[in-house]
Amino acid sequence: MVKVVFIIDSLRRHVTQRFLAHLVRGLHDLGYEQSVITLNSASFPNIEQALFSAGCAITRIGKYSLLLGGFGWWRLVVALKQLKPEAVMTMLDFADTLGRPAARLAGCRALVTSIRARNLAKPSWQRWFDRKTISWADKVVFNSRHIVSYGCQNEGVRNEQVVVIPNGVEDLRTRTGALRSQYRQQLGLPPETLLFGSVAGLNRQKNLALLLRAAKKLPAHWPWRILLVGDGPERARLLALGQGLGLSDRLILLGERDDVEGWLAAMDIFVHTAKFEGMPNAVMEAMAMGLPVVASAVDGTRELIEDGVSGYLLPPGDVDAFAERIHGLIEDPEAAHRLGERAHHKVLERFGLSRMIQAYDHLFRSLVTPESA
């Protein structure tokens, strides 16, 4: 049995938290003993329940202000000493910054940290500190090979620390039929209405204003709607932009939801407009649902999608290109169906959930029992 502790910023209903729930469930089936330490008390019941159902204990440290004041950080060290894990893995910004020194001070045998995207929004003090502590990690997991060079050049990762483990996804299309009608009924959509949109945090990185501007270029007489699932600091700005573009009656902002699978099933086209990414789980889930995907050609999306074969990759920020591709898929539903079929096949063949679980199992076992590497 391998004993692992995961340190994460919070248990909110975001992509990394869903990834963690999948990972914990998979490792539980392989006999792991696991705990999660969350730095912020904010959490979502469904994420917690998924962890509890896999036999995973949860320790809450407190608010970030306490951590930065020192008291909370010491509680993190004490918690690690009490749990006595063989391996610790940190994920997300503050967990990386605070978890690395805590794990080493607590005497943990193996430390794994992760870089899941180009962390361009970090303040300068945090970037400096993270460069100083990255060498304390035994391994650094990247979820996309396209961000390895960023990690080495900007965060001080050494080549021998690099491990690339793409995110994994399960087949979601088996439940599409029943979910599609159920969730479209919740929106009051007639069968002929075409629904396109995205599942994403409403922040500047995701660049969802581009989607609204592209939609404005579509024929107004067509029965289409835009669905955005997620929340964030850009919500008010997107609502105002939608109103300014005359899209208020076509724009649906659902906020954060835990039933993402159902809303994906309700869509006809998935659009991903991010300026940068690691390995975007939302795109993977859309492909696993069999949706045609139109996405920015950035970082991990270039690993997921073969342009023109299993989706469309477009220059980031190109409103006209996005409008043209969405227009084409609406006009040719048979082509959209073929694109979705190929996307479904590719993502399950190359990025199945079992592959991800096996890769993490190999990583942890190689660190705590080196002779098994």
Side-chain angles (χ1 to χ4, degrees), residues 201-213 228 231-248 251 253 273 275 319:
L202 307 187
N203 54 53
R204 290 188 180 275
Q205 175 202 346
K206 302 302 183 182
N207 198 24
L208 290 164
L210 183 151
L211 174 55
L212 302 191
R213 293 190 174 98
L228 299 181
D231 208 349
E234 291 287 290
R235 181 183 178 88
R237 179 170 171 265
L238 289 169
L239 282 170
L241 178 61
Q243 184 175 13
L245 293 172
L247 300 176
S248 295
L251 177 60
L253 269 65
T273 54
K275 297 177 180 178
V319 174

Side-chain angles (χ1 to χ4, degrees), residues 27 30 32 357-367 372-373:
L27 294 178
L30 296 176
Y32 277 60
I357 302 300
Q358 290 169 7
Y360 275 100
D361 176 43
H362 175 77
L363 171 62
F364 289 132
R365 291 186 188 277
S366 71
L367 291 173
S372 68

Side-chain angles (χ1 to χ4, degrees), residues 320-338:
D320 290 335
F322 273 86
E324 180 181 348
R325 286 304 188 189
I326 296 170
H327 186 286
L329 290 172
I330 294 174
E331 274 199 319
D332 191 347
E334 290 187 4
H337 176 74
R338 289 194 298 270

Side-chain angles (χ1 to χ4, degrees), residues 254-330:
L254 283 181
E256 286 189 357
R257 301 295 295 256
D258 64 314
D259 50 349
V260 168
E261 183 180 328
W263 297 112
L264 284 173
M267 293 185 194
D268 298 286
I269 301 169
F270 189 86
V271 185
H272 191 71
T273 54
K275 297 177 180 178
F276 61 90
E277 275 290 2
M279 178 66 71
N281 275 49
V283 172
M284 298 177 75
E285 290 171 348
M287 295 172 74
M289 188 64 75
L291 288 174
V293 176
V294 180
S296 301
V298 295
D299 302 328
T301 56
R302 291 180 288 164
E303 287 180 65
L304 290 171
I305 295 172
E306 183 180 355
D307 186 35
V309 177
S310 54
Y312 289 124
L313 292 174
L314 304 176
D318 192 332
V319 174
D320 290 335
F322 273 86
E324 180 181 348
R325 286 304 188 189
I326 296 170
H327 186 286
L329 290 172
I330 294 174

Side-chain angles (χ1 to χ4, degrees), residues 119-171:
N119 301 314
L120 303 177
K122 281 185 182 180
S124 57
W125 71 265
Q126 192 176 10
R127 288 198 302 271
W128 175 86
F129 189 80
D130 285 354
R131 283 187 66 91
K132 294 294 184 182
T133 62
I134 194 73
S135 62
W136 299 354
D138 296 289
K139 294 295 180 181
V140 181
V141 176
F142 294 83
N143 61 4
S144 168
R145 58 184 173 82
H146 286 285
I147 57 174
V148 171
S149 60
Y150 161 82
C152 294
Q153 294 169 12
N154 295 277
E155 301 215 13
V157 180
R158 303 187 309 274
N159 288 334
E160 61 269 23
Q161 291 177 289
V162 172
V163 178
V164 178
I165 304 179
N167 295 344
V169 68
E170 57 187 339
D171 188 355

